[in-house]
Amino acid sequence: MIEIALTGGIGSGKSTVADGFVDRGALLIDADRIVRELQEPGRPVFEAMVQRWGAAIVAEDGTLDRGAVAERVFNDADELKALGEIVHPALYNEIERRRGLNSGSDAVVILDLPLLVGADGTSIADQFGEIAGIVVVDADPEITVERLVANRGFDEADARARIANQASRQDRIAVADRVIDNSGDLAALERNIDRAWEWITTLPHK
Ligand code: ADP
């Protein structure tokens, strides 16, 4: 298996690139999706979160109210740390379990890790040992804001705040083995995905 870590800031186009790699034959391990699964009602992560923040983070239908959680952790370092302490061990366990399922195969496995580089600029890549390469999707923040507003329903101030609250462009690029530029149109992105995919297939298997 060839293992790649994929990251990028909100709105950079990381999910679009992940989909592009899947179209080219990769298997995807999507950290955000795993977190959503771990937070389904009744699961231990959900229960631990409700224990900490109370029924106010549960929506009427019994599922997690993500907005209510975001309100509690956005701009509050202690609460954000508490959330990480609840979610991360379970997340890393599940990622390791899924990696184990493919080890020794010919698969290209993409670990989609939005928070590979934290807001303080530190990388958690070491947690995952022996990854063949780190791919960073990069786009001009002004273009990113435009896309978040036009395509994902963000209001502009919110998009800017979310970007400001994440790792900087430079911090991500500093850990990259390969940068995929997504400042152009979708056709240009497809060409960049092709080139990155060609490079990935030359990397060592493990
Ligand atoms: P991320 O996963 O990094 O948050 P997405 O892949 O969801 O970002 O991209 C953000 C939005 O911008 C999506 O609606 C996506 O379809 C759109 N998008 C991504 N790349 C481009 C591009 N090169 N040109 C136009 N729209 C794009």
Side-chain angles (χ1 to χ4, degrees):
M1 126 177 113
I2 298 174
E3 279 190 308
I4 295 295
L6 173 67
T7 196
I10 183 168
S12 62
K14 179 184 60 60
S15 306
T16 308
V17 170
D19 291 346
F21 286 150
V22 169
D23 290 344
R24 288 160 178 79
L27 298 175
L28 183 63
I29 299 179
D30 178 339
D32 273 353
R33 184 162 176 180
I34 292 172
V35 169
R36 283 197 298 276
E37 289 171 10
L38 292 170
Q39 291 175 336
E40 281 167 9
R43 299 195 66 177
V45 167
F46 175 90
E47 298 299 342
M49 290 177 68
V50 174
Q51 205 156 29
R52 179 163 183 109
W53 291 291
I57 63 163
V58 181
E60 269 182 21
D61 65 359
T63 62
L64 195 67
D65 181 341
R66 286 168 208 291
V69 176
E71 268 170 36
R72 280 158 184 78
V73 303
F74 200 75
N75 285 329
D76 187 327
D78 288 341
E79 298 303 307
L80 186 61
K81 182 160 174 269
L83 178 63
E85 284 168 359
I86 294 170
V87 172
H88 290 158
L91 170 63
Y92 297 149
N93 265 338
E94 182 58 18
I95 289 176
E96 288 313 305
R97 190 185 72 77
R98 294 189 190 193
R99 289 174 80 190
L101 297 177
N102 297 298
S103 86
S105 74
D106 285 342
V108 173
V109 175
I110 306 290
L111 304 180
D112 181 337
L113 301 165
L115 301 182
L116 180 74
V117 182
D120 60 0
T122 56
S123 162
I124 56 163
D126 289 351
Q127 294 258 1
F128 302 98
E130 279 196 80
I131 282 182
I134 297 176
V135 174
V136 170
V137 184
D138 178 64
D140 182 298
E142 290 305 315
I143 296 176
T144 303
V145 169
E146 271 173 35
R147 287 181 190 150
L148 288 172
V149 171
N151 305 330
R152 298 247 305 256
F154 276 77
D155 92 25
E156 187 183 331
D158 190 27
R160 288 188 189 282
R162 294 284 290 271
I163 292 169
N165 225 33
Q166 293 191 335
S168 71
R169 219 176 155 184
Q170 290 72 18
D171 286 340
R172 275 195 207 88
I173 289 173
V175 305
D177 296 303
R178 177 105 191 177
V179 176
I180 296 184
D181 172 56
N182 187 23
S183 296
D185 62 14
L186 284 169
L189 180 60
E190 283 296 320
R191 289 193 293 275
N192 292 342
I193 297 171
D194 272 333
R195 281 199 284 271
W197 182 252
E198 232 168 78
W199 169 76
I200 286 171
T201 56
T202 66
L203 295 174
H205 280 267
K206 80 162 190 219

